[in-house]
Amino acid sequence: MAEDEQEYDFSSIEKKWQDYWEREKTFRAEDGSEKPKYYALDMFPYPSGAGLHIGHPEGYVASDILARYRKALGFNVLHPMGWDAFGLPAEQYAIKTGTHPSVTTEANVRNFRRQIKSIGFAIDWDREINTTEPGYYKWTQWIFLKLFQRGLAYVDEKPVWWCPNLRAVLANEEVVDGKSEVGGHPVERRNLRQVVLRITAYAEKLLAGLEDLDWPDSTKRQQKAWIGRSEGAEVRFEVDEIEEELVVYTTRPDTLFGATYMVVAPEHPLLEKLVSPEKAEEVKSYVEAAAKKSDLDRTDLAKDKSGVFTGSFCLNPVNGKKIPVWVADYVLISYGTGAIMAVPGHDERDFEFAEKFDVPITRVIARQDGDEEKAKLPYSGPGIMVNSDEYDGMDTDACKAKIIADLEAKGCGKGAVNYKLRDWIFSRQRYWGEPIPLVWVSLEDYGKAGRKDGPVTELMPEESVTTMRDGETLYALPLPACELPLRLPEVENYQPSGTGESPLATIPEWLEVWFDVESGRTEARSGPKPQGENWVPATRETNTMPQWAGSCWYHLRYLDPDNSDRLVDSEKEAYWQSPDFYIGGAEHAVLHLLYARFWHRFLHDEGVLANPEPYRKLFHQGLILGEDGNKMSKSVGNVVSPDVVIEAYGADSLRLFEMFLGPLEAVKPWSEKGIEGVHRFLRKVYRECFAKDKHRPAEETDKETLRLLHKSILKVTEAIDDLRFNVAISQMMILVNHLQKSAFYSIETAKSLLQLLAPFAPHLAEELWAELGENPSIADHPWPVARKELLVAEEMTIVFQVNGKLRGQSQFPKDADKADIIGAAKSDAKVQGFLEGKEIVKEIYVPGKLVNLAVKS
RNA sequence: GCUCAGGUGGCGGAAUUGGUAGACGCGCUAGAUUAAGGAUCUAGUGCCGCAAGGCGUGGGGGUUCGAGUCCCCCCUUGAGCACCA
């Protein structure tokens, strides 16, 4: 190597081009452009104190490659970034140190921004958003008020997951195996006042909407399972000797004749009436024990079934038979009607229970094929009805329909649909979140508000939202949009009260206000009551919103980040629509991704948005593991920081290697040696572009080089379209290896190579592009087009097989005919060795590919 | 337990519709260059075998002229769900 060879000084190259892009606003997304749009979205990060880890950039690099590629294809590209910055860590840090969460958040954002910028993304930084800024959360609150107006937000005191460690309530989705998803603390059931969003009203739409989404199957399946739609019937059972009915939900009305007992959940409202005096003591202690059990204990399948007979009987509506009613905690109050008809012959759980407590087990379904082994009880498959009076002989499906119709006719049942999905507990007893823009007033003052004709009245729901406080019923009134944002007040102490109230409840001057029921204005109650009959005393809602709120609609705000009149301008929404590509971790399959769909669909129904679905194409990048094959974690000490990698190898090497590791969706280990490999590749590209004595002006004249170039253009293009970036990179390596071995090649070939490389290693590509005499930015030059006509070779290689095994090969002109080729195969010396003494029974010729001679001896 | 997705060299991984398995990279071996190291380059590298050849895509069976790819059974890893009636 020449002494004076330039070194690949990635640090200064990367700095130079990052400055250039920022200065020139190379990646600004244009509103109202004539060009077609392309919107690439990353799940925006929570800016933690730990900084970026190596997993974050994986998705960002993928979306960045698509963004740069689409830009080169002539699209007007939007690739934005922002911060999901409300959340628990900053608040817990505040509790410990007294530092205001906004201070912590700002420092963390600054660090995240620096790190992300150091990787050289094609991000339009003018559109940066932050969920904790009042200008942003004004609209989060605005959407909440819309939900409130439409009766989709209500307040309820219900058993919720309370986490003593976090001193907060968690959503169903945030509890995994009886522990908090964040931190893994134990949780327990508590009855607390909660603001709840009626996501169940959207169950059907959320389910149906999945159909058209280009999402990973597993994620669609998870959402489907979470929504958990089932079809069946509600059946009313008369209770013997008392004037009550027990309503159950079942998906198997066909098995009604097999119901040999009933079960109600320990929390069932009718239970008290059902219990006979002699059973009272036993049932009471059972219910108390069940209440103490954590849900983990109750739902543990390994646990034995437990239960107590209540002393009551129900009458089976189809045959009037008396069947005993039990109470058992394997029936959940929160699903269906909280009561079931138990059919031990055809349900595993009921079977287990019936065996233990010696309840009769009746078969009502037989298999059509009479296979006794497969029809063993409990049998839950399809078949033919037996022991079911007039339904005997029907198949199960027909029987279901008939029984439902008959029950309906008799007025003791009806077809019904049920969902596992529960309403979304939306309130958090925390400081660092969006304040919920509601105030609480008396019944009288609520009535007063209802009679006005102002912005408050307009947002009032049809059915009032109420809560009990100190024996008084209070009514919720909305703050009108003109009073938003409702800012987070300053607070002395971030410590939650521990009683289920947020720190906001400890600030009387914020909490207690005079409220104008017409205009929605507020004044501190510590001051005198303002003039006018519209002013009433009110108390603010002290709960804040969960972290999911801000991320439900952030993809919209990027389209119009500074709009103070609307959450997004309609024209801008119409142009940009929803992201063409959305990438992020699979762990959000039912949280963020379900909530965001709910809000988006709601806003669509409200006429605010043109599109019903927020994310049409979704992709999950796979986890990057530590070099030891374990999940990266501080405690194991296998964490790789992007800062360190960039320092050692540069951002381009980092980008390239994250994509070269393997398929984007795969879980794959990091490798220090591996990044050296791609770094070597980039150095090789650098050397080739500086090897001026090998360059020739004008078009490529070497046929082989030209063919490989166009093959590479084709393959890289297709690989990017298919998100198979590892394959694209290996093709570029093949091309560069070839150039390196060539004595000469056209400078145009080198330029095309740089264009292919630019989305992956943009800094180096820009640098060398300029070095070869072109103007920046390479990102603005049209993507090369593969000339497919060059890909057809003049000669073809035909493989010779005997009995499917490779025995030889030869070159033929591309118009050679079948007979000649088979003849050549047969006379091939090596092939002949395998034909000797054998008879050819079949000759196969696959045009352009192979000859296979089938022989037998 | 149920559902889904995987299992290809020492390692990460390639392989249109069934048609040359192991591209590309890492690692390893030998060599060139070098005072030396690094860097770079050249050749080799699935396994067994001196070779001819045989064997090879988790295991077993099948379809086919031909199977990593299609079908059946089993083993195994990962993910999700987990008393939802």
Side-chain angles (χ1 to χ4, degrees):
Chain A
M1 283 295 113
E3 288 286 301
D4 59 353
E5 191 213 327
Q6 301 258 348
E7 261 308 302
Y8 168 35
D9 180 1
F10 50 84
S11 296
S12 60
I13 289 173
E14 289 173 3
K15 172 87 176 54
K16 172 180 166 188
W17 291 103
Q18 283 166 20
D19 290 348
Y20 174 88
W21 298 328
E22 180 142 3
R23 194 171 63 243
E24 301 291 326
K25 294 198 184 292
T26 309
F27 301 109
R28 187 176 53 205
E30 266 178 76
D31 289 317
S33 163
E34 297 286 297
K35 292 181 188 172
K37 64 96 190 186
Y38 188 83
Y39 180 6
L41 182 67
D42 300 291
M43 284 187 188
F44 64 163
Y46 171 76
S48 72
L52 221 58
H53 67 81
I54 211 77
H56 282 113
E58 190 188 9
Y60 306 160
V61 171
S63 55
D64 202 59
I65 289 167
L66 293 174
R68 289 171 179 273
Y69 164 67
R70 289 286 169 162
K71 185 171 168 67
L73 284 177
F75 286 80
N76 178 28
V77 171
L78 171 58
H79 187 204
M81 184 53 70
W83 320 107
D84 187 16
F86 276 127
L88 212 45
E91 182 160 341
Q92 278 174 333
Y93 187 72
I95 291 169
K96 258 203 314 219
T97 65
T99 314
H100 195 282
S102 67
V103 174
T104 315
T105 300
E106 202 194 318
N108 291 348
V109 163
R110 207 178 308 119
N111 188 42
F112 262 66
R113 192 191 294 118
R114 174 192 63 78
Q115 289 188 301
I116 289 177
K117 284 194 172 181
S118 75
I119 304 171
F121 294 122
I123 287 170
D124 181 351
W125 285 101
D126 291 345
R127 293 171 183 260
E128 181 179 339
I129 58 169
N130 182 328
T131 55
T132 67
E133 280 171 7
Y136 182 92
Y137 69 68
K138 169 182 175 177
W139 296 104
T140 313
Q141 292 172 331
W142 184 85
I143 297 168
F144 172 83
L145 288 171
K146 278 278 172 200
L147 290 159
F148 177 81
Q149 178 188 21
R150 297 301 177 218
L152 293 170
Y154 62 100
V155 172
D156 197 8
E157 182 156 320
K158 46 163 50 186
V160 292
W161 292 116
W162 168 259
C163 177
N165 284 58
L166 299 172
R167 297 201 191 190
V169 164
L170 302 175
N172 287 322
E173 291 84 344
E174 290 171 307
V175 177
V176 180
D177 289 338
K179 290 185 178 142
S180 63
E181 198 204 15
V182 177
H185 305 296
V187 299
E188 58 191 52
R189 282 286 183 196
R190 270 207 201 177
N191 277 313
L192 283 173
R193 192 181 65 86
Q194 300 298 335
V195 178
V196 186
L197 295 188
R198 216 180 291 278
I199 191 173
T200 50
Y202 273 74
E204 198 59 55
K205 281 182 178 176
L206 289 170
L207 185 64
L210 283 172
E211 290 283 322
D212 313 319
L213 299 181
D214 183 1
W215 280 21
D217 268 349
S218 60
T219 306
K220 282 195 188 183
R221 263 202 315 275
Q222 275 184 66
Q223 287 214 351
K224 210 172 159 182
W226 190 263
I227 295 167
R229 184 184 198 274
S230 72
E231 281 181 24
E234 267 184 26
V235 186
R236 320 174 81 88
F237 286 70
E238 267 178 47
V239 183
D240 198 25
E241 293 179 356
I242 55 173
E243 280 287 297
E244 287 291 348
E245 279 182 334
L246 190 56
V247 184
V248 305
Y249 172 73
T250 177
T251 56
R252 298 298 302 271
D254 49 323
T255 62
L256 198 44
F257 284 86
T260 54
Y261 67 107
M262 316 275 294
V263 184
V264 297
E267 300 88 350
H268 198 279
L270 217 56
L271 179 58
E272 235 173 284
K273 286 190 182 167
L274 290 171
V275 180
S276 66
E278 59 272 27
K279 286 285 176 184
E281 200 53 38
E282 201 186 341
V283 168
K284 188 173 171 239
S285 63
Y286 181 77
V287 169
E288 277 170 7
K292 271 194 207 130
K293 275 194 200 175
S294 73
D295 263 41
L296 185 60
D297 291 334
R298 273 182 67 167
T299 58
D300 191 348
L301 268 171
K303 280 265 157 31
D304 257 359
K305 295 262 184 299
S306 65
V308 175
F309 175 47
T310 62
S312 290
F313 293 86
C314 278
L315 302 176
N316 192 330
V318 285
N319 57 10
K321 265 195 189 155
K322 267 172 76 166
I323 49 183
V325 182
W326 290 63
V327 54
D329 67 2
Y330 81 92
V331 171
L332 308 175
I333 188 65
S334 49
Y335 183 77
T337 62
I340 63 160
M341 61 178 218
V343 185
H346 303 283
D347 181 284
E348 241 180 88
R349 300 151 300 183
D350 299 344
F351 184 83
E352 198 192 315
F353 187 90
E355 284 217 306
K356 184 167 173 191
F357 293 101
D358 219 13
V359 182
I361 298 169
T362 310
R363 174 190 291 278
V364 292
I365 298 171
R367 272 179 70 97
Q368 189 130 35
D369 60 9
D371 186 328
E372 300 221 348
E373 182 49 38
K374 285 183 183 160
K376 232 177 79 189
L377 298 182
Y379 171 72
S380 57
I384 299 294
M385 303 314 300
V386 295
N387 300 324
S388 300
D389 294 358
E390 72 263 36
Y391 303 96
D392 280 359
M394 291 181 85
D395 82 77
T396 41
D397 276 341
C399 180
K400 262 183 209 171
K402 181 79 166 52
I403 285 195
I404 290 175
D406 292 350
L407 289 172
E408 274 175 25
K410 280 200 279 182
C412 51
K414 60 177 190 203
V417 170
N418 241 306
Y419 300 91
K420 287 198 220 175
L421 184 70
R422 308 290 149 77
D423 277 341
W424 176 12
I425 294 166
F426 191 67
S427 45
R428 296 294 179 276
Q429 295 64 46
R430 308 224 182 104
Y431 175 74
W432 194 229
E434 300 88 345
I436 292 176
L438 296 178
V439 297
W440 296 95
V441 299
S442 69
L443 173 59
E444 187 190 337
D445 293 337
Y446 188 79
K448 197 188 267 186
R451 291 187 295 273
K452 300 288 168 190
D453 191 16
V456 174
T457 314
E458 192 189 318
L459 286 174
M460 284 169 67
E462 237 168 73
E463 225 173 284
S464 59
V465 169
T466 64
T467 190
M468 292 290 288
R469 189 178 300 158
D470 305 328
E472 191 195 355
T473 304
L474 296 177
Y475 289 75
L477 282 176
L479 288 187
C482 53
E483 293 298 305
L484 300 183
L486 171 60
R487 287 169 191 266
L488 262 176
E490 294 301 319
V491 65
E492 296 278 313
N493 188 355
Y494 303 96
Q495 193 78 38
S497 64
T499 59
E501 295 270 10
S502 106
L504 297 181
T506 65
I507 321 169
E509 60 275 26
W510 182 82
L511 184 65
E512 297 181 346
V513 292
W514 299 110
F515 183 69
D516 182 325
V517 295
E518 183 163 23
S519 71
R521 283 167 54 211
T522 54
E523 296 285 347
R525 194 109 60 86
S526 51
K529 181 176 172 183
Q531 292 294 309
E533 53 143 28
N534 288 339
W535 290 91
V536 303
T539 318
R540 289 192 195 273
E541 171 58 48
T542 58
N543 280 312
T544 54
M545 299 188 195
Q547 196 177 357
W548 312 109
S551 57
C552 272
W553 69 282
Y554 74 111
H555 52 280
L556 296 166
R557 194 60 176 171
Y558 285 130
L559 310 184
D560 199 6
D562 301 318
N563 196 331
S564 54
D565 300 323
R566 300 204 54 177
L567 68 89
V568 59
D569 176 80
S570 302
E571 263 178 48
K572 288 176 181 170
E573 195 229 338
Y575 174 72
W576 289 108
Q577 301 189 8
S578 56
D580 299 275
F581 182 72
Y582 188 35
I583 185 164
E587 67 275 16
H588 294 114
V590 286
L591 292 163
H592 158 62
L593 289 168
L594 192 64
Y595 297 148
R597 291 185 60 222
F598 167 39
W599 278 32
H600 206 98
R601 284 199 162 261
F602 168 71
L603 290 171
H604 170 70
D605 290 347
E606 284 295 301
V608 177
L609 301 177
N611 292 293
E613 283 286 340
Y615 313 122
R616 295 222 167 258
K617 180 165 179 61
L618 171 72
F619 199 89
H620 300 307
Q621 79 278 17
L623 215 61
I624 296 181
L625 304 174
E627 196 138 19
D628 56 1
N630 294 308
K631 210 168 165 177
M632 280 195 195
S633 88
K634 257 191 209 156
S635 56
V636 183
N638 58 355
V639 177
V640 180
S641 154
D643 288 349
V644 172
V645 175
I646 290 171
E647 168 85 30
Y649 302 101
D652 283 334
S653 294
L654 172 69
R655 294 172 58 114
L656 202 62
F657 186 55
E658 293 219 350
M659 296 300 103
F660 189 61
L661 270 173
L664 189 57
E665 69 278 14
V667 176
K668 53 226 171 233
W670 184 257
S671 154
E672 183 77 20
K673 285 287 180 193
I675 195 166
E676 280 176 26
V678 298
H679 184 71
R680 258 199 293 273
F681 163 70
L682 290 181
R683 272 209 308 261
K684 204 184 280 186
V685 173
Y686 187 88
R687 278 200 310 277
E688 284 307 316
C689 287
F690 274 91
K692 300 285 163 74
D693 50 336
K694 291 172 81 174
H695 298 168
R696 293 290 178 268
E699 290 303 306
E700 185 61 62
T701 51
D702 182 86
K703 274 188 183 162
E704 205 189 331
T705 304
L706 191 63
R707 200 168 79 228
L708 181 60
L709 172 66
H710 283 271
K711 185 180 168 189
S712 301
I713 292 171
L714 183 68
K715 216 165 164 180
V716 170
T717 306
E718 287 176 350
I720 294 175
D721 283 330
D722 294 344
L723 306 176
R724 287 148 34 88
F725 302 125
N726 54 334
V727 179
I729 293 166
S730 73
Q731 185 61 40
M732 289 188 270
M733 287 173 166
I734 293 168
L735 176 60
V736 173
N737 287 348
H738 173 83
L739 295 185
Q740 182 204 32
K741 289 189 171 83
S742 305
F744 310 107
Y745 49 87
S746 161
I747 194 161
E748 299 305 322
T749 299
K751 286 181 191 167
S752 297
L753 165 70
L754 290 177
Q755 287 188 280
L756 298 180
L757 184 63
F760 298 83
H763 311 85
L764 178 64
E766 289 276 23
E767 178 73 13
L768 298 174
W769 186 251
E771 180 61 33
L772 296 185
E774 290 286 341
N775 293 322
S777 161
I778 190 169
D780 290 320
H781 287 74
W783 189 251
V785 177
R787 290 164 56 193
K788 290 192 184 161
E789 74 276 10
L790 294 173
L791 302 185
V792 185
E794 279 160 23
E795 290 212 307
M796 54 188 184
T797 303
I798 301 293
V799 167
F800 304 151
Q801 296 180 340
V802 178
N803 282 346
K805 290 203 163 63
L806 179 67
R807 299 303 180 190
Q809 62 177 58
S810 184
Q811 296 289 116
F812 293 89
K814 66 175 178 231
D815 52 0
D817 73 36
K818 180 178 169 180
D820 291 348
I821 292 169
I822 291 180
K826 284 187 196 162
S827 53
D828 182 274
K830 212 168 153 193
V831 170
Q832 280 198 329
F834 289 90
L835 296 180
E836 216 160 294
K838 306 214 169 113
E839 182 198 345
I840 297 177
V841 292
K842 200 163 184 182
E843 296 169 353
I844 288 123
Y845 173 62
V846 181
K849 292 222 164 112
L850 59 78
V851 171
N852 189 13
L853 304 171
V855 303
K856 64 175 187 189
S857 44

